[in-house]
Amino acid sequence: MTAEPVADFLSAMEQAGVRPVEPIAQQLGGGKLIRFRSEGDKSGRRNGWAVLYLDGKPAGAFGSYRLGVREKWSGSGNVLPLSPAEYRARQQQWQQEARRRHQERQEGWEATAGNARARWDSAGPVAASHAYLVRKGLAGEGLRQEGHRLLVPMHDLDGRLWNLQSIAPDGSKLFMKGGRQSGLACIIGNGGGRLCLGEGWATMAAVRSATGYPVAAAFSAENLARVATDARKHWPKLDLVICADDDPHLVRNPKIRKNVGRHYAAAAARAVGGRLAVPLQEAG
């Protein structure tokens, strides 16, 4: 045993096969149940859980839903299986924490939505001379301007404004802190029975300029499938065309090893029975 109970606790977790792949030490010690992604978990899953008390005699518990591990730990170095009653108590505690976090997140989204509406309403028309628009060769359809920053509205598919993306003249982008992002899009145009859906506003504005079709920017590769699925529910007969970004450089990245833009666009197209559009390769 060492003089550091957090280190001993993490060591006991590792010996039991529950190995976090994200830093959790700073979250431990306050008696709150935490969830985390552990070794072997699929992307987006957080099957590991732990709780540690440092007041008085250190003690805690940890486990993995994927591995079926659930054990309790004491500062004396003992690691014992949780009883069914203890496990149920941990589950109830986690559920209560999850409900609390959900409520706090919803309240944060609502507050940000109100601020986004106020900013949008007070923003002015887009200046054609804005450096970002000039560089991209775009007119700024669907945008407004606040000082030197362009504002891109982020609506759900029922039309409610939840958030704003702001774009500086140098192209740097920011979302409003604490605001919702999942399932939101900037839609430009309507009608025609077809919607082209892709990642960034500039990419989709260029698609609209070239085709005249209505377009939607989902703001990220990961959000494409969510927006496409919502669009299919809202407009079952709509011809959905998923426009892929091309990221060949990411295939060589040892931590990614895939063309992220094409990967997520293809997945979104499959999810909704849509068509996939990919950039033409330039002749070498």
Side-chain angles (χ1 to χ4, degrees), residues 208-220:
R208 176 159 171 77
S209 178
T211 66
Y213 296 135
V215 300
F219 301 99
S220 71

Side-chain angles (χ1 to χ4, degrees), residues 1 5 8-9 12 52 57-61 72-80:
M1 294 294 291
D8 292 335
F9 182 73
L52 178 63
K57 185 178 180 180
K72 56 185 176 182
W73 173 90
S74 71
S76 61
N78 294 327
V79 178
L80 300 170

Side-chain angles (χ1 to χ4, degrees), residues 41-91:
D41 287 351
K42 294 182 179 179
S43 178
R45 302 301 296 271
R46 302 169 73 222
N47 288 311
W49 60 268
V51 59
L52 178 63
Y53 301 89
L54 295 179
D55 51 335
K57 185 178 180 180
F62 60 84
S64 166
Y65 297 117
R66 181 179 62 84
L67 298 174
V69 173
R70 47 181 190 264
E71 297 183 345
K72 56 185 176 182
W73 173 90
S74 71
S76 61
N78 294 327
V79 178
L80 300 170
L82 285 177
S83 69
E86 289 172 325
Y87 181 63
R88 286 195 297 271
R90 299 301 179 203
Q91 287 284 77

